[in-house]
Each structure stands twice: as structure tokens, then as C-alpha cells.
Amino acid sequence: DGIKRKDFPGGWEEDPINAFTHEGRVQLAEKTGFPVVEAHDYMTTMANWRKDKDVIHNGNLRHFIPEDNVYVYFRYNDSERVMVVLNANEDSRDLNLARFSEVIQSTTEGYEVISGQTVQLGETLGVEGYGSMVIELD
């Protein structure tokens, strides 16, 4: 597949677009119609967050059988808990959090890493269609 082997744009003087820069990523997105800027921002956020998270590298794993095409798992150790939610549905879903009460315990809110927002952990948790959430519980 030629697209998979295509050179990354930028880094050479003759490259008309340099996707190593923000401006170049914007140009590449306009040219291709792909969400280049958003993908770069997402990967940068996640890579920087996880590099110093011992719980992600060495923590215990607790996963739950997917229900209604939504997969939830937790990474946890003695001091941290992280909840990961993956919704493979086109439409949003509301998760019944009682199912995960053993791990969530009495936590009522968490920090959602991807959006940078605080989320409330009440009876349910809304997840957008084809969405994912990475929530620090502690």
C-alpha cells in the first residue's frame, strides 16, 4: 500500500509542507481532509501523560467484559487508579457505574486526561459515539 509507505511531509528543503510544525500540520489537514492537528494534539497529550504514570506501566489490570459494545478497564496500584472507557458505537452511551463500584469505590469525580476536564462519577457516565475516556480517579 503506497499510502502506508509514503514519506512524512517535512524535514527537507524541497518539501512544500512541513508537518513537523503546527502551521504545516494545518496545511496538511487542509490538503488531505484528515484531522492531522487533532491527531497530533491527542497523541502528544497521551504520550506526555503516560510517560511518567507508573500505574500505566506497572499497575494491576482489571477489565470488564464489554457490554453494549463499550469496553472498560482499570489500571491501579496502591496510590493511583485510572479508568479507561472505549465506546465502539456510533451513538453515545450512558454507562451504569454501579457495575464498576469495586474499583471506583466512593470516588465521585475524576480528571479526564484527553479533554482536560473534571468528570462527575454519579450513577452513570456518558461516553460519546466512537469516543474514549481516560479518567484519573485519584
Side-chain angles (χ1 to χ4, degrees):
D1 184 345
I3 293 176
K4 290 180 184 173
R5 301 184 194 288
K6 189 174 181 178
D7 289 336
F8 187 82
W12 305 102
E13 288 182 22
E14 62 271 7
D15 287 337
I17 294 176
N18 182 359
F20 289 102
T21 67
H22 177 75
E23 294 79 17
R25 288 188 289 277
V26 170
Q27 289 177 332
L28 185 61
E30 290 169 355
K31 180 180 177 183
T32 63
F34 296 132
V36 177
V37 175
E38 293 85 352
H40 177 269
D41 292 347
Y42 172 81
M43 291 304 298
T44 300
T45 297
M46 294 310 297
N48 285 329
W49 173 78
R50 76 180 301 277
K51 71 182 174 184
D52 295 325
K53 282 288 173 193
D54 185 61
V55 69
I56 296 300
H57 303 286
N58 301 307
N60 296 306
L61 172 66
R62 173 84 188 265
H63 63 104
F64 291 79
I65 295 171
E67 208 172 80
D68 193 24
N69 241 5
V70 178
Y71 177 49
V72 177
Y73 69 90
F74 294 82
R75 295 299 302 242
Y76 61 95
N77 58 24
D78 291 338
S79 60
E80 293 181 283
R81 292 173 295 149
V82 175
M83 177 182 189
V84 178
V85 181
L86 305 168
N87 180 8
N89 296 290
E90 185 175 347
D91 300 321
S92 64
R93 293 292 188 266
D94 286 328
L95 293 178
N96 181 348
L97 294 182
R99 184 172 176 226
F100 315 109
S101 63
E102 283 180 55
V103 186
I104 293 175
Q105 299 169 354
S106 61
T107 303
T108 59
E109 66 180 27
Y111 173 74
E112 205 288 307
V113 177
I114 299 168
S115 68
Q117 302 293 318
T118 298
V119 294
Q120 299 304 311
L121 301 171
E123 292 180 14
T124 62
L125 176 67
V127 184
E128 293 197 14
Y130 297 129
S132 59
M133 300 176 85
V134 178
I135 305 168
E136 291 181 337
L137 299 178
D138 296 307

